[in-house]
Amino acid sequence: MLRAFFSLFKSVPAESKELLAAIREMTGLRPADPNIYLAAFRRKVDDQSQKSANMRYERLEYLGDAVLGVLMAEYLYEKYPKGDEGYLTSMRSKVVSRKALNRIAEKMGIPQWMDMGRSRSGRQGQTSSVPGNTLEALVGAVYIDRGWNAARYFVHRRMLDPYVNFDKVETEVISYKSLL
C-alpha cells in the first residue's frame, strides 16, 4: 500500500504521460510504478542508458512469456473442461505463437506506442516479432507491478476475451506436419 502511495511521486518524463494513459486503457489497471511499464516499451527512464533499458525490456519479456504461458494454460483449462492434454496444448501453442501475439498486440494498439528505434539487425523499424515481444513485456510489467491477480485480469479479461476468437483458433492449422 505504501509502495503505491510513494509511486505517485515518482517522476515520469512528460512525453511518457500519453503512453501511460494508453497503457491504463490497454490493461484496465493504474500503474503503481510507471517506470516498469515504460521499460516494457523500451523507454529510458532517469539516467538509464539505452543498453540498460533494453536489458530491462528483455527481462520483462522473458518473465511475461512465462506468466502468459501459465495464465493461458489456466484460461484454457477453465474454458474447455472436457479438453484433453493434447487439445489444450495445441490451443495454447496457437494462441501464444509469435504470429498470434503479434496480431493481438496490433489489435490492442501496441505498435503505435513502441520505441521504433533500430532493430537488432541495424535496420530502421521493427522486426516481425517486436509487437508480440512488447506484449509479453507488458504482461511481465503488470505482474511485477501489480501481482498475480492483476496479471490474470489483464490477460484473461483485457487480452484474451476481447481479442481472441477461440472458435477460429480451434480450426486453425499451425503445423501441417502435425496434422498428418
Side-chain angles (χ1 to χ4, degrees), residues 44-55:
K44 291 191 298 183
V45 292
D46 303 327
D47 292 330
Q48 189 179 43
S49 70
Q50 190 60 50
K51 183 178 179 183
S52 177
N54 288 345
M55 188 175 101

Side-chain angles (χ1 to χ4, degrees), residues 84-151:
D84 65 14
E85 177 189 11
Y87 174 79
L88 296 174
T89 299
S90 172
M91 288 292 285
R92 183 182 63 202
S93 67
K94 290 176 186 179
V95 176
V96 297
S97 72
R98 186 57 44 212
K99 183 179 174 183
L101 288 179
N102 284 342
R103 262 195 318 259
I104 294 168
E106 300 257 345
K107 290 176 184 176
M108 292 177 74
I110 287 175
Q112 78 184 52
W113 297 105
M114 292 176 353
D115 183 356
M116 300 300 277
R118 296 197 173 277
S119 68
R120 286 195 181 114
S121 64
R123 294 186 326 263
Q124 199 60 18
Q126 71 187 49
T127 61
S128 63
S129 62
V130 174
N133 291 349
T134 302
L135 178 55
E136 288 175 339
L138 181 57
V139 170
V142 169
Y143 175 73
I144 289 291
D145 183 51
R146 300 292 306 272
W148 186 255
N149 288 333

